[in-house]
Amino acid sequence: MAHTFRVPQIDLASVISSDTPSIDLKLQHYETAARKFLKTVTTYKNQIVNEETDSRAVYASEKKRFAERTHAVELETNQCKVRELELAKELSKEAEERKDAELSVAAFRRQLASLKEKCAAIDSEIEQYRAIADNLERERQRERDTLMTHATGAQPDIQTLEKALACVIEGLETDQLLIRFWSIDPNRPEREFTFVLDVGGSGYKVLNSSPPLPSLPVLVNTLNDSKDIYWFILEMRQAFVKLVPI
């Protein structure tokens, strides 16, 4: 409990009647009390100042921590915004790529459908060509059979012609005949006179003759008009005979 100073009662009459009037103001006690009061005030002031300093330090620390947290949040927010923009761009790019892919797929499907139609048409044409080829093969076989029949019948005539004209008729490549004559040159009966006749095209052609004949073009034209190969062989022998000097 704090000590309370009580001001003493002063007997003013006795003081005045005294030879040396004086009043004991008890200044020492006052000064002691004043010093205590000042010490208490100073202590309180220092306490308040320390508390204020601590509060300011705490406030500054909290303010700094809050500012750092705010800055970190702002950085994170900005990064999130940047990432959001990047994701938006990526999504837009993926959407464009997906759209292009869908267009490409649609184009490929149309091409595939067109190719299937073309393949079907080609398959149909192939079947038609196969049917035509089969028909041609059958016709060719019939022609072979006919030619074989004619060849069988013509074989005696060919042998007779070879003996009469002193020649040999031989087959070379497809549709080519080699005709060889001898007994044309009296001085050299063994000497051969030859020519190669091509009978495979639309018209007859003489591929070569040995020796060359000046009248060959005229004879070939006549052959193509008459289609008489036996006559042509006879005329070729006569043309070779005319080449031999007498």
Side-chain angles (χ1 to χ4, degrees), residues 3-238:
H3 175 70
T4 303
F5 173 73
R6 293 183 182 273
V7 179
Q9 297 295 322
I10 300 173
D11 186 1
L12 186 60
S14 63
V15 171
I16 292 174
S17 62
S18 174
D19 294 334
T20 57
S22 63
I23 299 174
D24 187 5
L25 297 179
K26 298 186 181 295
L27 293 177
Q28 184 178 2
H29 181 74
Y30 171 75
E31 290 176 358
T32 301
R35 283 194 297 271
K36 289 182 179 181
F37 175 74
L38 290 175
K39 183 178 180 181
T40 301
V41 170
T42 301
T43 301
Y44 177 74
K45 184 191 71 171
N46 293 334
Q47 181 179 354
I48 294 300
V49 170
N50 291 333
E51 290 178 357
E52 181 69 18
T53 301
D54 293 340
S55 297
R56 288 181 179 180
V58 172
Y59 174 75
S61 178
E62 290 294 327
K63 183 179 180 181
K64 181 180 180 182
R65 186 176 64 83
F66 180 75
E68 291 176 352
R69 179 59 181 166
T70 302
H71 182 65
V73 170
E74 290 177 352
L75 290 177
E76 186 176 355
T77 302
N78 292 333
Q79 291 177 357
C80 289
K81 289 181 179 179
V82 172
R83 182 56 181 165
E84 182 181 0
L85 293 176
E86 292 176 353
L87 290 175
K89 290 181 181 179
E90 290 180 1
L91 290 175
S92 177
K93 183 178 179 181
E94 289 178 357
E96 291 294 331
E97 291 177 352
R98 182 170 61 252
K99 183 178 179 180
D100 293 340
E102 290 175 353
L103 292 176
S104 298
V105 170
F108 287 144
R109 287 178 177 174
R110 289 192 297 270
Q111 292 178 2
L112 180 60
S114 177
L115 289 175
K116 287 183 178 179
E117 292 178 357
K118 290 181 180 179
C119 289
I122 292 173
D123 290 339
S124 177
E125 291 181 2
I126 290 174
E127 292 299 326
Q128 293 177 0
Y129 289 142
R130 285 177 178 172
I132 293 172
D134 293 340
N135 292 333
L136 291 175
E137 183 64 26
R138 286 192 293 270
E139 291 178 2
R140 190 167 183 178
Q141 185 61 42
R142 285 196 297 269
E143 291 177 356
R144 290 196 191 97
D145 296 340
T146 302
L147 290 175
M148 186 60 69
T149 301
H150 290 169
T152 302
Q155 187 66 27
D157 295 337
I158 293 174
Q159 293 176 354
T160 301
L161 180 64
E162 290 177 345
K163 290 180 180 180
L165 299 179
C167 70
V168 174
I169 301 174
E170 301 175 353
L172 294 179
E173 298 179 3
T174 303
D175 300 327
Q176 292 182 6
L177 298 175
L178 171 63
I179 293 89
R180 295 186 295 135
F181 299 101
W182 60 87
S183 299
I184 293 178
D185 188 349
N187 298 321
R188 295 172 56 194
E190 74 280 2
R191 177 185 176 188
E192 288 190 354
F193 294 75
T194 64
F195 70 93
V196 176
L197 180 63
D198 186 352
V199 298
S202 58
Y204 297 108
K205 292 182 295 182
V206 173
L207 301 181
N208 61 67
S209 69
S210 178
L213 291 174
S215 61
L216 182 61
V218 176
L219 295 175
V220 173
N221 289 335
T222 304
L223 170 62
N224 285 312
D225 292 335
S226 66
K227 307 299 180 184
D228 190 344
I229 294 178
Y230 295 139
W231 169 88
F232 180 73
I233 294 174
L234 178 61
E235 291 297 318
M236 288 291 291
R237 180 179 179 83
Q238 293 300 324

